[in-house]
Amino acid sequence: HLVEREDIFPFMDNMFVEAFSSAGKQLGYMRRVFEYAINFGLTKNNPVPPRIAFETEKPKEKPHGYLKYSKLPDLWDWIENRDHSEHTKLAMKAMILTGHRISVVVKAKWSHIDEASGVWTVPERQDKTTDGLMKSGREFQVTFPAPFFERLLKSKSDSEFVFPSPPTQGHVS
């Protein structure tokens, strides 16, 4: 009986205030640990309070911030003036141009790009485990603007990835 409810409650009560979305998960993990301990004879009770003991209400969701369209040229210039690799800069700019998720952009492969037309086809996902494709699983096509695509082609290496990471031999991260 080294851990009592009065040890857990103040910590978790504060977590429900500071990090509401994580608190319920942590409470569940702690409950599982003590249930395991009970099953193996390490303790006789589970001191983890039930969720209902915490009277904090779920906070209202705050929407993600956004960048006004008029500020995109400033962001473009900011990226260009950073001390990042060429592939990292191009990946960041590809996200701006396509609106794709980070994981889709960084895992883009040359085999998905038509070098004659500048069309990038994100293939249909055949299973739920393959990452780097559209969350919806559907095929999606986007055409890169010519000046960007020309720069992208000049950066092409022998990697299968459009945005390679030389240290890892994989994609940028």
Side-chain angles (χ1 to χ4, degrees):
H1 298 272
L2 298 174
V3 179
E4 298 293 331
R5 184 167 287 195
E6 50 271 7
D7 299 319
I8 296 172
F9 191 85
F11 168 76
M12 287 305 302
D13 196 38
N14 186 49
M15 185 177 245
F16 272 103
V17 172
E18 298 294 323
F20 186 88
S21 63
S22 298
K25 293 176 186 173
Q26 295 303 322
L27 197 64
Y29 296 146
M30 284 192 284
R31 188 173 294 114
R32 287 174 57 194
V33 166
F34 281 100
E35 289 302 320
Y36 178 88
I38 291 169
N39 291 342
F40 285 88
L42 302 172
T43 188
K44 298 272 187 225
N45 70 330
N46 187 339
V48 179
R51 168 63 184 95
I52 200 165
F54 302 93
E55 298 188 24
T56 54
E57 291 183 27
K58 182 177 180 180
K60 292 187 177 182
E61 297 283 330
K62 294 180 184 176
H64 292 291
Y66 64 93
L67 183 68
K68 290 184 179 180
Y69 181 78
S70 62
K71 294 290 186 182
L72 282 176
D74 294 336
L75 177 58
W76 193 269
D77 291 340
W78 181 88
I79 292 168
E80 192 58 40
N81 293 317
R82 295 292 75 119
D83 187 26
H84 297 306
S85 73
E86 177 72 355
H87 291 117
T88 299
K89 289 178 184 181
L90 288 168
M92 292 168 74
K93 290 179 175 184
M95 287 174 33
I96 293 170
L97 292 169
T98 65
H100 278 309
R101 297 172 174 273
I102 293 169
S103 63
V104 175
V105 171
V106 299
K107 295 175 184 173
K109 295 181 178 179
W110 284 109
S111 60
H112 301 155
I113 294 180
D114 180 344
E115 292 185 36
S117 65
V119 174
W120 173 25
T121 303
V122 180
E124 178 181 357
R125 184 175 51 199
Q126 302 297 320
D127 56 55
K128 293 286 185 187
T129 58
T130 303
D131 59 353
L133 303 177
M134 298 289 291
K135 186 176 179 181
S136 68
R138 294 186 301 252
E139 176 180 289
F140 185 84
Q141 289 186 333
V142 63
T143 304
F144 288 117
F148 176 82
F149 192 61
E150 289 167 12
R151 185 170 169 187
L152 193 63
L153 286 173
K154 287 179 187 174
S155 76
K156 187 174 181 181
S157 68
D158 59 354
S159 173
E160 69 175 316
F161 293 105
V162 177
F163 309 106
S165 172
T168 66
Q169 301 301 314
H171 55 80
V172 296
S173 58

